[in-house]
């Protein structure tokens, strides 16, 4: 059974945001603008994305 993955790209700056939002970005492997990472699509990953949805763009990996 193959695990589905999603591509997450940071589109917003964490400057002036709460420390928890910055920590969430770092936890996902994002720390600079326009960086993209592929993450396994799990409920915990979706929760992290929901917390910083105004700073990231999400698409399904192919």
């Amino acid at each position: 059974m193959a695990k589905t993955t999603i591509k997450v790209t940071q589109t917003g700056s964490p400057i002036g945001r709460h420390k928890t939002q910055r920590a969430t970005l770092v936890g996902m492997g994002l720390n600079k603008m326009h960086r993209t990472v592929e993450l396994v699509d799990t409920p915990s990953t979706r929760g992290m994305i929901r917390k910083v949805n105004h700073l990231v763009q999400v698409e399904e990996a192919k």
Side-chain angles (χ1 to χ4, degrees):
M1 184 161 81
K3 296 186 178 187
T4 59
T5 59
I6 52 177
K7 280 186 177 181
V8 181
T9 304
Q10 183 177 347
T11 58
S13 173
I15 295 173
R17 307 290 180 178
H18 291 280
K19 291 180 184 179
T20 57
Q21 291 177 352
R22 183 184 303 251
T24 302
L25 287 173
V26 171
M28 291 193 310
L30 299 169
N31 60 350
K32 292 187 179 179
M33 295 282 293
H34 307 291
R35 290 251 172 117
T36 302
V37 293
E38 283 196 26
L39 302 171
V40 178
D41 191 9
T42 62
S44 61
T45 304
R46 288 291 179 167
M48 293 171 82
I49 291 170
R50 194 174 303 115
K51 186 170 186 171
V52 293
N53 65 350
H54 56 287
L55 299 174
V56 297
Q57 179 182 9
V58 180
E59 58 189 58
E60 288 191 28
K62 295 180 182 177

